[in-house]
Amino acid sequence: MNFLARTDAPRSDRRSHYAPACGCCMAPSQFLEMVETYAHHAGQDLHWTTPRRLVQPFHWTCASQGLQDAVLQGSLDAASASVLTSAAAQPSAAAPAIRRRPALQRVCTGIDKALLNGKIFTSDARQLWCEALAIQDGRIAYVGSVTEIEALCGPGTEVFDLGGRVVIPGFNDAHMHHTPDPVGVRLPIDPVADPSFEEVGRMIREAVAATPPGTWIYGVMGIELINDRRVDRVALDNFAPEHPLILLGLTNHTNVINTPAIVRLGIEEEAPDPLGGYFERLPGTRRVSGRIHEYAQWAPQRCFASMATVEQGAASIRALAADCLQFGITTVQNMSWTPTARYVEMLQAADAPIRIRLIRFPPAGPEGRVLHEGVGLTPSIGKRFGVSGTKWILDGTSVERAAAMGRSYADDPSTEGRENFSLAEVREMMRESLRADDQLLLHAIGPKAVENVIRAAESLPDIDWAARGLRMEHGDGLDAEQIERARNIGLMVVQNPTHFLFPQIYGPRFGAGTRFASFRTLMDKGLAVGIGSDGPVNPFLGLMAALIHPARPEEGSSMEQAVIAYTLGSAQAEQQADRKGMLAPGYLADLAVLSQDIFSVAADALPATRSLLTLVEGETVYEATE
């Protein structure tokens, strides 16, 4: 099998491109990439019932490829469909490959690369735009005019003529949950279309008929199926009595498993509830029903994730990196269900070309939270990989009506959600982060959970929480008064704009006239804001959602605000804003040249954007073919 090489590239710049050579002559990383590419394309010809790795490089828990496909096909609810239906019909304009100009015959000043004739957005408020930049030793050396940068080029400078294309700092996905999976059958459930339980049952029966007993079967539930109380171990056992079966909720805060899965994952029949989560029980008994919530599912998920081999995990990480690079994503901040030490092994084996920050995501048991998870690991585990920060989940989400509202849900007065941890426990999390000098990340969606974060931080005086990097993930329930208090304590928010594409989980649940899912206001009020995908990895889908905000249009941002949040803001979210996230002198040369001008195209055309050229620390790690 031959892959055509990029023949106009210097020999030293062929690291990420295939050459028409025998596999035994390739570099090890090149060979593994070729094998993974072949396996990916070969797998497309297999029926979905054929067991294979359950690799979901975008996001393990949310069926994000299905979501992304559905979004681009305009199959979301009617409230969102009007702004999305043309996305698939408007691909990015075809463009010739970026031209390389001969190096100028000047005295060499040591400039490695020069990008000329571009529309370069720097994310640097001191100079938001320029038309050229120079790279030296992996960092931005100069930004300015074409004339200024040309004067710095020498015989050894690699010169890119951008032809007016847009350049931005590399995206930094501040919130994702990539988790490699073991071998099994992935049910072709579209969680956005949200098929009925009966239809899902037919899929399960087909998978059972096509595979031997003991084969894992895996699927993702949409919003209605998550809340369908008929879905429990008894019902699933009727479909799959000898196959372990997991149905993950779209948000992964409520999962359902059958009896073989309960046995395989080591869950006791009358398992006690852990701190921060609970098992539902079969009527009249203490036996688990298969419906598991919040921290009750952390240990089972980690057990399932641990069944993937290191080699499978490395292949999944390489697939994730390949997807990220075509979108111009140069950094991801990952909260994996794979135990931290094992994911580190996978990272080391993968040797991926993007930056990956692994954030500890510990479980909890009946005795309390597990505090030793990954604490003995070296923060830096490679040139582009590291382990830092700890995340805790303080409540559920509004999808399951589990976000802690502190009052009844507007569309279901029987519930007001649930706090996973008390105010005292949240305060202790903050003290632990101070003692360990470790960044703290807190998932908080409902107003009550949000209030606990703010009150806990306010109760610990004389702490510079901005310097400590205290993060709130989501923060959908922040009201006007809480936003002011959050700013005063230095709290930053990492938001996930793709969630805005589901207005049915906001307005009806929070209630008319209630502030929810603020975005533009956060930035206007001076809060630091980063962006994570927490779903489809496509950042341009996230940018579209940030601009139009279908759930609350008045909170839509400008493109400049959104790009800054997705680059510099996300760098601040990992306490790296002094070295990345901007195209400014001294900053790491992580950047992407885009296929279309995201600052001028219609919002519904944004998801079709791709990167034509992605650099990480000045190295060409991805270049689009024609």
Side-chain angles (χ1 to χ4, degrees):
M1 177 174 56
N2 288 337
F3 291 88
L4 295 179
R6 187 168 50 110
T7 56
D8 61 334
R11 180 175 301 275
S12 62
D13 197 34
R14 294 185 185 178
R15 288 179 292 273
S16 63
H17 299 273
Y18 295 110
C22 172
C24 65
C25 299
M26 295 179 180
S29 60
Q30 192 177 30
F31 176 76
L32 290 172
E33 187 178 356
M34 182 190 74
V35 170
E36 185 65 21
T37 301
Y38 175 76
H40 170 73
H41 289 290
Q44 293 178 343
D45 297 328
L46 300 176
H47 191 263
W48 65 266
T49 56
T50 303
R52 70 193 78 182
R53 290 200 312 275
L54 300 175
V55 172
Q56 181 75 358
F58 292 104
H59 184 287
W60 182 61
T61 65
C62 287
S64 302
Q65 182 63 66
L67 174 59
Q68 180 170 304
D69 293 343
V71 167
L72 295 181
Q73 294 164 10
S75 61
L76 289 179
D77 63 284
S80 301
S82 61
V83 297
L84 300 175
T85 49
S86 61
Q90 296 187 28
S92 55
I98 298 168
R99 290 190 297 118
R100 281 173 172 71
R101 290 171 31 173
L104 300 177
Q105 298 304 307
R106 301 181 186 277
V107 176
C108 181
T109 61
I111 297 303
D112 302 321
K113 287 184 172 69
L115 279 64
L116 308 177
N117 299 314
K119 182 179 178 182
I120 301 173
F121 185 78
T122 66
S123 289
D124 182 356
R126 298 165 297 183
Q127 183 181 353
L128 278 178
W129 297 94
C130 65
E131 61 181 10
L133 60 81
I135 298 170
Q136 180 178 354
D137 298 328
R139 294 180 180 266
I140 304 298
Y142 302 93
V143 298
S145 68
V146 171
T147 300
E148 291 171 327
I149 302 305
E150 280 185 333
L152 301 171
C153 297
T157 301
E158 186 177 16
V159 180
F160 297 85
D161 188 344
L162 302 174
R165 294 182 183 85
V166 165
V167 179
I168 61 171
F171 288 112
N172 184 330
D173 190 329
H175 184 122
M176 70 159 49
H177 295 282
H178 173 259
T179 302
D181 308 314
V183 171
V185 173
R186 191 174 191 277
L187 301 172
I189 302 173
D190 179 352
V192 178
D194 206 2
S196 68
F197 187 34
E198 290 72 21
E199 186 175 348
V200 171
R202 287 193 292 271
M203 295 180 192
I204 296 171
R205 283 197 171 102
E206 186 176 350
V208 166
T211 58
T215 303
W216 276 104
I217 300 175
Y218 164 103
V220 179
M221 302 181 289
I223 294 173
E224 294 303 320
L225 196 58
I226 289 170
N227 295 292
D228 187 338
R229 312 259 337 150
R230 297 176 299 163
V231 186
D232 64 10
R233 71 186 282 185
V234 175
L236 296 184
D237 286 351
N238 288 331
F239 299 126
E242 298 181 282
H243 290 66
L245 171 62
I246 299 178
L247 293 182
L248 293 172
L250 183 66
T251 65
N252 210 40
H253 285 253
T254 290
N255 297 341
V256 188
I257 56 180
N258 70 349
T259 299
I262 289 172
V263 174
R264 185 79 68 88
L265 296 174
I267 301 173
E268 298 175 5
E269 278 289 347
E270 297 186 358
D273 291 339
L275 180 66
Y278 65 100
F279 298 95
E280 290 190 30
R281 311 288 172 168
L282 293 174
T285 76
R286 291 293 301 163
R287 297 175 61 215
V288 295
S289 74
R291 295 183 64 87
I292 55 179
H293 306 274
E294 302 300 325
Y295 277 86
Q297 64 189 353
W298 256 240
Q301 285 188 11
R302 289 157 62 85
C303 180
F304 178 73
S306 295
M307 294 178 187
T309 67
V310 170
E311 293 75 18
Q312 289 168 347
S316 182
I317 291 170
R318 286 193 293 270
L320 169 68
D323 287 317
C324 287
L325 292 175
Q326 69 165 324
F327 288 117
I329 300 169
T330 55
T331 296
V332 298
Q333 301 179 46
N334 189 36
M335 310 152 193
S336 181
W337 275 272
T338 303
T340 307
R342 187 163 183 81
Y343 197 92
V344 166
E345 290 184 84
M346 295 172 176
L347 278 172
Q348 292 171 325
D351 192 25
I354 63 172
R355 304 186 193 280
I356 300 177
R357 177 200 187 189
L358 181 59
I359 298 167
R360 299 177 193 89
F361 198 19
E367 299 81 16
R369 294 178 292 115
V370 176
L371 303 181
H372 63 271
E373 168 73 13
V375 296
L377 294 170
T378 304
S380 177
I381 55 175
K383 180 180 179 182
R384 293 175 180 165
F385 313 139
V387 181
S388 64
T390 301
K391 180 188 177 184
W392 298 103
I393 306 289
L394 303 189
D395 65 347
T397 83
S398 51
V399 169
E400 310 88 6
R401 298 182 183 85
M405 299 290 285
R407 55 177 171 79
S408 296
Y409 272 82
D411 61 350
D412 186 355
S414 69
T415 182
E416 59 181 41
R418 178 186 178 100
E419 298 170 76
N420 293 340
F421 301 107
S422 66
L423 172 61
E425 194 77 18
V426 175
R427 188 181 293 116
E428 181 58 25
M429 293 171 184
M430 293 184 179
R431 292 193 182 103
E432 290 163 2
S433 75
L434 294 172
R435 290 194 294 266
D437 192 23
D438 184 50
Q439 187 183 21
L440 181 63
L441 301 82
L442 298 172
H443 162 118
I445 290 182
K448 183 68 181 299
V450 166
E451 179 65 18
N452 280 351
V453 174
I454 296 173
R455 286 182 62 191
E458 290 172 337
S459 71
L460 297 172
D462 304 322
I463 302 298
D464 186 346
W465 288 112
R468 304 294 311 179
L470 180 61
R471 279 174 54 168
M472 179 182 290
E473 309 300 297
H474 318 299
D476 290 337
L478 280 161
D479 62 26
E481 186 261 349
Q482 289 172 328
I483 289 173
E484 292 290 340
R485 291 163 63 203
R487 181 190 62 188
N488 291 339
I489 63 175
L491 179 68
M492 87 165 297
V493 175
V494 171
Q495 196 37 289
N496 313 107
T498 52
H499 295 180
F500 304 158
L501 298 172
F502 296 89
Q504 72 271 30
I505 69 171
Y506 286 111
R509 284 158 165 69
F510 280 85
T514 303
R515 180 188 295 268
F516 56 83
S518 294
F519 189 62
R520 186 182 193 118
T521 295
L522 301 179
M523 294 177 279
D524 289 346
K525 291 294 185 179
L527 271 72
V529 176
I531 291 179
S533 59
D534 197 30
V537 76
N538 184 346
F540 306 104
L541 181 64
L543 291 178
M544 181 193 72
L547 265 62
I548 64 177
H549 202 321
R552 197 169 165 222
E554 68 272 21
E555 282 296 316
S557 72
S558 69
M559 178 59 77
E560 289 81 2
Q561 286 177 310
V563 172
I564 289 172
Y566 224 144
T567 54
L568 183 60
S570 291
Q572 184 171 350
E574 61 169 329
Q575 300 181 292
Q576 296 286 313
D578 60 342
R579 64 191 297 266
K580 64 196 296 190
M582 292 197 302
L583 301 180
Y587 275 65
L588 292 169
D590 297 354
L591 58 83
V593 181
L594 304 184
S595 62
Q596 59 180 344
D597 184 350
I598 61 174
F599 296 93
S600 64
V601 300
D604 59 359
L606 285 168
T609 311
R610 297 293 183 270
S611 176
L612 298 178
L613 178 72
T614 305
L615 305 185
V616 174
E617 205 163 335
E619 178 185 351
T620 301
V621 292
Y622 173 78
E623 186 167 1
T625 57
E626 289 217 25

Short mmCIF file of all heavy atoms in Angstrom, two decimals, residues 64-109:
data_model
loop_
_atom_site.label_atom_id
_atom_site.label_comp_id
_atom_site.label_asym_id
_atom_site.label_seq_id
_atom_site.Cartn_x
_atom_site.Cartn_y
_atom_site.Cartn_z
N SER A 64 -20.10 11.51 19.95
CA SER A 64 -19.93 12.81 19.34
C SER A 64 -19.84 12.77 17.82
O SER A 64 -20.21 13.73 17.16
CB SER A 64 -18.67 13.45 19.90
OG SER A 64 -18.79 13.56 21.28
N GLN A 65 -19.34 11.67 17.27
CA GLN A 65 -19.33 11.61 15.81
C GLN A 65 -20.76 11.62 15.30
O GLN A 65 -21.09 12.32 14.34
CB GLN A 65 -18.60 10.36 15.33
CG GLN A 65 -18.50 10.26 13.81
CD GLN A 65 -17.71 11.40 13.21
OE1 GLN A 65 -16.51 11.53 13.44
NE2 GLN A 65 -18.36 12.27 12.48
N GLY A 66 -21.61 10.84 15.94
CA GLY A 66 -23.02 10.84 15.54
C GLY A 66 -23.63 12.21 15.73
O GLY A 66 -24.40 12.69 14.89
N LEU A 67 -23.30 12.89 16.83
CA LEU A 67 -23.82 14.22 17.07
C LEU A 67 -23.33 15.19 16.01
O LEU A 67 -24.11 15.97 15.46
CB LEU A 67 -23.38 14.70 18.46
CG LEU A 67 -23.71 16.14 18.82
CD1 LEU A 67 -25.21 16.38 18.75
CD2 LEU A 67 -23.19 16.46 20.20
N GLN A 68 -22.04 15.12 15.71
CA GLN A 68 -21.51 16.05 14.72
C GLN A 68 -22.16 15.82 13.36
O GLN A 68 -22.55 16.76 12.68
CB GLN A 68 -20.00 15.87 14.61
CG GLN A 68 -19.36 16.80 13.58
CD GLN A 68 -17.86 16.75 13.69
OE1 GLN A 68 -17.30 16.99 14.74
NE2 GLN A 68 -17.20 16.46 12.60
N ASP A 69 -22.28 14.54 12.97
CA ASP A 69 -22.93 14.25 11.69
C ASP A 69 -24.35 14.77 11.68
O ASP A 69 -24.83 15.34 10.69
CB ASP A 69 -22.91 12.75 11.42
CG ASP A 69 -21.51 12.22 11.18
OD1 ASP A 69 -20.60 13.05 10.91
OD2 ASP A 69 -21.30 11.01 11.27
N ALA A 70 -25.06 14.57 12.81
CA ALA A 70 -26.45 15.01 12.87
C ALA A 70 -26.54 16.52 12.78
O ALA A 70 -27.42 17.08 12.11
CB ALA A 70 -27.09 14.52 14.17
N VAL A 71 -25.63 17.22 13.45
CA VAL A 71 -25.64 18.68 13.39
C VAL A 71 -25.42 19.16 11.96
O VAL A 71 -26.13 20.02 11.45
CB VAL A 71 -24.55 19.24 14.32
CG1 VAL A 71 -24.34 20.72 14.05
CG2 VAL A 71 -24.97 19.05 15.77
N LEU A 72 -24.42 18.57 11.29
CA LEU A 72 -24.11 19.01 9.94
C LEU A 72 -25.21 18.65 8.95
O LEU A 72 -25.31 19.24 7.89
CB LEU A 72 -22.78 18.41 9.50
CG LEU A 72 -21.58 18.89 10.31
CD1 LEU A 72 -20.31 18.27 9.79
CD2 LEU A 72 -21.46 20.40 10.28
N GLN A 73 -26.04 17.68 9.31
CA GLN A 73 -27.16 17.31 8.44
C GLN A 73 -28.43 18.04 8.83
O GLN A 73 -29.50 17.81 8.28
CB GLN A 73 -27.41 15.80 8.51
CG GLN A 73 -26.26 14.98 7.93
CD GLN A 73 -26.32 13.53 8.34
OE1 GLN A 73 -27.30 13.07 8.90
NE2 GLN A 73 -25.26 12.80 8.04
N GLY A 74 -28.32 18.95 9.81
CA GLY A 74 -29.48 19.73 10.21
C GLY A 74 -30.55 18.93 10.89
O GLY A 74 -31.74 19.25 10.78
N SER A 75 -30.20 17.88 11.65
CA SER A 75 -31.20 17.02 12.24
C SER A 75 -31.45 17.29 13.72
O SER A 75 -32.03 16.48 14.41
CB SER A 75 -30.81 15.55 12.05
OG SER A 75 -29.59 15.29 12.70
N LEU A 76 -30.99 18.45 14.23
CA LEU A 76 -31.34 18.83 15.59
C LEU A 76 -32.78 19.28 15.64
O LEU A 76 -33.47 19.35 14.63
CB LEU A 76 -30.42 19.96 16.08
CG LEU A 76 -28.97 19.57 16.36
CD1 LEU A 76 -28.20 20.79 16.81
CD2 LEU A 76 -28.89 18.50 17.41
N ASP A 77 -33.24 19.62 16.84
CA ASP A 77 -34.62 20.07 16.98
C ASP A 77 -34.86 21.32 16.16
O ASP A 77 -33.94 22.02 15.75
CB ASP A 77 -34.93 20.35 18.44
CG ASP A 77 -34.09 21.49 18.97
OD1 ASP A 77 -32.90 21.24 19.23
OD2 ASP A 77 -34.61 22.61 19.09
N ALA A 78 -36.13 21.65 15.94
CA ALA A 78 -36.49 22.74 15.04
C ALA A 78 -35.92 24.07 15.48
O ALA A 78 -35.60 24.93 14.66
CB ALA A 78 -38.01 22.83 14.95
N ALA A 79 -35.75 24.26 16.78
CA ALA A 79 -35.23 25.54 17.26
C ALA A 79 -33.81 25.79 16.79
O ALA A 79 -33.39 26.92 16.62
CB ALA A 79 -35.28 25.57 18.79
N SER A 80 -33.05 24.73 16.60
CA SER A 80 -31.67 24.88 16.15
C SER A 80 -31.50 24.61 14.66
O SER A 80 -30.57 25.11 14.04
CB SER A 80 -30.76 23.91 16.92
OG SER A 80 -30.83 24.17 18.29
N ALA A 81 -32.40 23.83 14.08
CA ALA A 81 -32.20 23.37 12.71
C ALA A 81 -32.14 24.52 11.72
O ALA A 81 -31.43 24.45 10.72
CB ALA A 81 -33.32 22.40 12.32
N SER A 82 -32.85 25.60 12.00
CA SER A 82 -32.90 26.68 11.03
C SER A 82 -31.55 27.31 10.78
O SER A 82 -31.29 27.87 9.73
CB SER A 82 -33.88 27.76 11.51
OG SER A 82 -33.44 28.30 12.75
N VAL A 83 -30.66 27.26 11.77
CA VAL A 83 -29.35 27.86 11.60
C VAL A 83 -28.30 26.84 11.19
O VAL A 83 -27.15 27.18 11.01
CB VAL A 83 -28.89 28.57 12.89
CG1 VAL A 83 -29.82 29.71 13.21
CG2 VAL A 83 -28.78 27.60 14.04
N LEU A 84 -28.69 25.56 11.09
CA LEU A 84 -27.70 24.52 10.85
C LEU A 84 -27.87 23.81 9.52
O LEU A 84 -26.96 23.15 9.06
CB LEU A 84 -27.78 23.47 11.97
CG LEU A 84 -27.52 23.99 13.38
CD1 LEU A 84 -27.76 22.87 14.36
CD2 LEU A 84 -26.13 24.50 13.51
N THR A 85 -29.03 23.91 8.89
CA THR A 85 -29.33 23.01 7.79
C THR A 85 -28.40 23.17 6.61
O THR A 85 -28.21 22.23 5.85
CB THR A 85 -30.78 23.24 7.31
OG1 THR A 85 -30.98 24.64 7.11
CG2 THR A 85 -31.77 22.72 8.33
N SER A 86 -27.81 24.33 6.45
CA SER A 86 -26.95 24.52 5.28
C SER A 86 -25.50 24.19 5.54
O SER A 86 -24.67 24.33 4.65
CB SER A 86 -27.06 25.97 4.79
OG SER A 86 -26.62 26.85 5.80
N ALA A 87 -25.16 23.76 6.75
CA ALA A 87 -23.75 23.53 7.07
C ALA A 87 -23.13 22.46 6.20
O ALA A 87 -22.01 22.60 5.73
CB ALA A 87 -23.60 23.16 8.55
N ALA A 88 -23.87 21.38 5.98
CA ALA A 88 -23.32 20.30 5.16
C ALA A 88 -23.28 20.69 3.69
O ALA A 88 -22.46 20.19 2.93
CB ALA A 88 -24.16 19.04 5.33
N ALA A 89 -24.15 21.60 3.29
CA ALA A 89 -24.22 21.99 1.89
C ALA A 89 -23.23 23.07 1.53
O ALA A 89 -23.14 23.46 0.38
CB ALA A 89 -25.64 22.46 1.56
N GLN A 90 -22.53 23.62 2.53
CA GLN A 90 -21.59 24.70 2.27
C GLN A 90 -20.20 24.31 2.72
O GLN A 90 -19.72 24.77 3.75
CB GLN A 90 -22.04 25.97 3.00
CG GLN A 90 -23.37 26.50 2.51
CD GLN A 90 -23.69 27.85 3.13
OE1 GLN A 90 -22.78 28.60 3.48
NE2 GLN A 90 -24.95 28.17 3.26
N PRO A 91 -19.55 23.43 2.00
CA PRO A 91 -18.18 23.07 2.39
C PRO A 91 -17.26 24.26 2.24
O PRO A 91 -17.55 25.21 1.52
CB PRO A 91 -17.83 21.95 1.39
CG PRO A 91 -18.68 22.24 0.20
CD PRO A 91 -19.97 22.80 0.74
N SER A 92 -16.15 24.20 2.92
CA SER A 92 -15.18 25.27 2.78
C SER A 92 -14.71 25.34 1.34
O SER A 92 -14.58 24.35 0.65
CB SER A 92 -13.99 25.02 3.72
OG SER A 92 -13.44 23.76 3.48
N ALA A 93 -14.47 26.57 0.91
CA ALA A 93 -14.09 26.78 -0.48
C ALA A 93 -12.80 26.03 -0.80
O ALA A 93 -11.85 26.05 -0.04
CB ALA A 93 -13.90 28.27 -0.73
N ALA A 94 -12.80 25.34 -1.94
CA ALA A 94 -11.61 24.63 -2.35
C ALA A 94 -10.48 25.63 -2.59
O ALA A 94 -10.69 26.69 -3.15
CB ALA A 94 -11.89 23.85 -3.63
N ALA A 95 -9.32 25.31 -2.11
CA ALA A 95 -8.19 26.23 -2.25
C ALA A 95 -6.96 25.44 -2.62
O ALA A 95 -6.77 24.32 -2.17
CB ALA A 95 -7.95 26.97 -0.93
N PRO A 96 -6.11 26.01 -3.45
CA PRO A 96 -4.87 25.32 -3.78
C PRO A 96 -3.98 25.24 -2.55
O PRO A 96 -4.17 25.96 -1.57
CB PRO A 96 -4.24 26.22 -4.85
CG PRO A 96 -4.82 27.58 -4.60
CD PRO A 96 -6.20 27.33 -4.10
N ALA A 97 -3.05 24.32 -2.59
CA ALA A 97 -2.12 24.18 -1.48
C ALA A 97 -1.39 25.48 -1.24
O ALA A 97 -1.18 26.29 -2.15
CB ALA A 97 -1.13 23.06 -1.78
N ILE A 98 -1.01 25.71 0.04
CA ILE A 98 -0.26 26.92 0.37
C ILE A 98 1.07 26.91 -0.37
O ILE A 98 1.79 25.91 -0.37
CB ILE A 98 -0.02 26.97 1.89
CG1 ILE A 98 -1.38 27.05 2.60
CG2 ILE A 98 0.85 28.16 2.27
CD1 ILE A 98 -1.27 26.83 4.08
N ARG A 99 1.37 27.99 -1.03
CA ARG A 99 2.58 28.04 -1.85
C ARG A 99 3.80 28.31 -0.99
O ARG A 99 3.77 29.11 -0.08
CB ARG A 99 2.46 29.15 -2.92
CG ARG A 99 1.45 28.83 -4.00
CD ARG A 99 1.53 29.81 -5.15
NE ARG A 99 1.21 31.17 -4.74
CZ ARG A 99 2.05 32.19 -4.80
NH1 ARG A 99 3.29 32.01 -5.22
NH2 ARG A 99 1.68 33.40 -4.44
N ARG A 100 4.88 27.60 -1.32
CA ARG A 100 6.16 27.88 -0.69
C ARG A 100 6.99 28.71 -1.64
O ARG A 100 7.26 28.30 -2.76
CB ARG A 100 6.88 26.56 -0.36
CG ARG A 100 6.35 25.90 0.88
CD ARG A 100 6.98 24.53 1.05
NE ARG A 100 6.63 23.94 2.32
CZ ARG A 100 5.42 23.49 2.63
NH1 ARG A 100 4.46 23.56 1.73
NH2 ARG A 100 5.17 22.97 3.82
N ARG A 101 7.38 29.85 -1.19
CA ARG A 101 8.21 30.72 -2.01
C ARG A 101 9.67 30.38 -1.81
O ARG A 101 10.07 29.96 -0.72
CB ARG A 101 7.97 32.18 -1.63
CG ARG A 101 6.59 32.66 -2.06
CD ARG A 101 6.23 34.01 -1.53
NE ARG A 101 7.35 34.93 -1.35
CZ ARG A 101 7.19 36.21 -1.01
NH1 ARG A 101 5.97 36.69 -0.84
NH2 ARG A 101 8.21 36.99 -0.84
N PRO A 102 10.49 30.55 -2.83
CA PRO A 102 11.94 30.34 -2.64
C PRO A 102 12.45 31.27 -1.55
O PRO A 102 11.99 32.40 -1.42
CB PRO A 102 12.53 30.70 -4.01
CG PRO A 102 11.39 30.56 -4.96
CD PRO A 102 10.16 30.94 -4.21
N ALA A 103 13.36 30.77 -0.75
CA ALA A 103 13.93 31.61 0.30
C ALA A 103 14.61 32.82 -0.31
O ALA A 103 15.26 32.74 -1.36
CB ALA A 103 14.93 30.81 1.12
N LEU A 104 14.42 33.98 0.34
CA LEU A 104 15.02 35.21 -0.16
C LEU A 104 16.53 35.17 0.06
O LEU A 104 17.02 34.67 1.07
CB LEU A 104 14.41 36.42 0.55
CG LEU A 104 12.89 36.56 0.37
CD1 LEU A 104 12.38 37.74 1.18
CD2 LEU A 104 12.56 36.75 -1.10
N GLN A 105 17.24 35.72 -0.87
CA GLN A 105 18.71 35.70 -0.79
C GLN A 105 19.20 36.88 0.06
O GLN A 105 19.62 37.92 -0.43
CB GLN A 105 19.32 35.74 -2.19
CG GLN A 105 18.94 34.53 -3.03
CD GLN A 105 19.31 33.23 -2.35
OE1 GLN A 105 20.46 33.06 -1.95
NE2 GLN A 105 18.36 32.32 -2.23
N ARG A 106 19.05 36.71 1.38
CA ARG A 106 19.50 37.73 2.31
C ARG A 106 20.44 37.06 3.32
O ARG A 106 20.52 35.85 3.41
CB ARG A 106 18.32 38.37 3.05
CG ARG A 106 17.30 39.02 2.11
CD ARG A 106 16.17 39.65 2.92
NE ARG A 106 15.10 40.15 2.07
CZ ARG A 106 15.11 41.32 1.45
NH1 ARG A 106 16.15 42.12 1.58
NH2 ARG A 106 14.10 41.71 0.70
N VAL A 107 21.09 37.87 4.09
CA VAL A 107 21.94 37.34 5.14
C VAL A 107 21.05 36.62 6.14
O VAL A 107 20.07 37.17 6.65
CB VAL A 107 22.73 38.46 5.84
CG1 VAL A 107 23.54 37.89 7.01
CG2 VAL A 107 23.63 39.16 4.84
N CYS A 108 21.35 35.39 6.44
CA CYS A 108 20.49 34.58 7.31
C CYS A 108 20.56 35.11 8.75
O CYS A 108 21.64 35.33 9.29
CB CYS A 108 20.92 33.12 7.27
SG CYS A 108 19.89 32.06 8.31
N THR A 109 19.38 35.33 9.33
CA THR A 109 19.32 35.79 10.72
C THR A 109 18.88 34.68 11.66
O THR A 109 18.68 34.92 12.84
CB THR A 109 18.32 36.96 10.85
OG1 THR A 109 17.02 36.50 10.46
CG2 THR A 109 18.73 38.12 9.96
#
